[in-house]
Each structure stands twice: as structure tokens, then as C-alpha cells.
Amino acid sequence: MNDTIVFIPALLKNSAFQDDLLRRLNGETLIQRAVNKARKIVNNDNLIYVFTDSEVVALSAERTGARVYVDLEFDGVAHAKLVDLYEYLMHSAASS
């Protein structure tokens, strides 16, 4: 059993160039590329999570089939929120 979970942080507030996450390169956004790379690690989209602080990025990530965790209030520094997300992912993986 593969117990690997892929966690992709896609935070606009931490990005120097805010539209880079959605810019297309050869027809794919950075989010799509990251999810496709993650699929090479795990064969189950339920184990690929994108964490974002943007509804637009969330929509793009949802279109890839990955699970999306959106926190519009994330300030990029709140370590406790990342710990909460990790615990949520561990619980979700254990119950699936």
C-alpha cells in the first residue's frame, strides 16, 4: 500500500508574480504541471492536495482532479494552519 500524500502549496500571497500559478506554458498551468508530476508519485487523485489562498487557483486545481484545500485568510506565516492541514490530510488518508 502506498501511503504517500502529495501536498502542493499554491499560495498567491507568497508569489512574487501572482499570475505565475495560472500562466500557461505549452498549454498547461503550473498547477496542472504540479498535479501531473504528483500523479507519477501516487496513482490516486484522492492523495493529491493543493493548498491555496485563492478561489481562482482553487478552481484551476479542482479541474485537474486533485483535492483542494482553500483558506482565503491564510497569511503565509501561520504555521499552525499548515499543521492543521497536515493532520486533516492524515485523517482523510486513514479513512479512505
Side-chain angles (χ1 to χ4, degrees):
M1 179 177 148
N2 185 354
D3 58 355
T4 301
I5 294 175
V6 178
F7 174 72
I8 302 168
L11 302 169
L12 285 183
K13 291 178 186 171
N14 284 358
S15 177
F17 303 100
Q18 301 225 338
D19 58 340
D20 277 357
L21 295 173
L22 300 171
R23 183 173 295 149
R24 292 191 176 275
L25 182 62
N26 295 328
E28 283 186 322
T29 65
L30 181 58
I31 299 297
Q32 289 171 308
R33 288 174 173 263
V35 170
N36 288 338
K37 292 287 185 184
R39 285 187 177 121
K40 293 179 180 180
I41 298 169
V42 295
N43 293 327
N44 183 347
D45 283 353
N46 288 330
L47 298 176
I48 302 171
Y49 290 83
V50 176
F51 176 73
T52 187
D53 57 359
S54 162
E55 290 177 354
V56 176
V57 172
L59 181 60
S60 178
E62 286 170 353
R63 289 179 182 152
T64 69
R67 288 183 163 190
V68 179
Y69 183 92
V70 183
D71 185 346
L72 299 176
E73 312 243 335
F74 186 74
D75 62 8
V77 183
H79 177 74
K81 287 191 178 187
L82 292 177
V83 171
D84 289 345
L85 175 60
Y86 175 78
E87 290 172 357
Y88 166 78
L89 296 178
M90 293 290 98
H91 177 71
S92 294
S95 61
S96 59

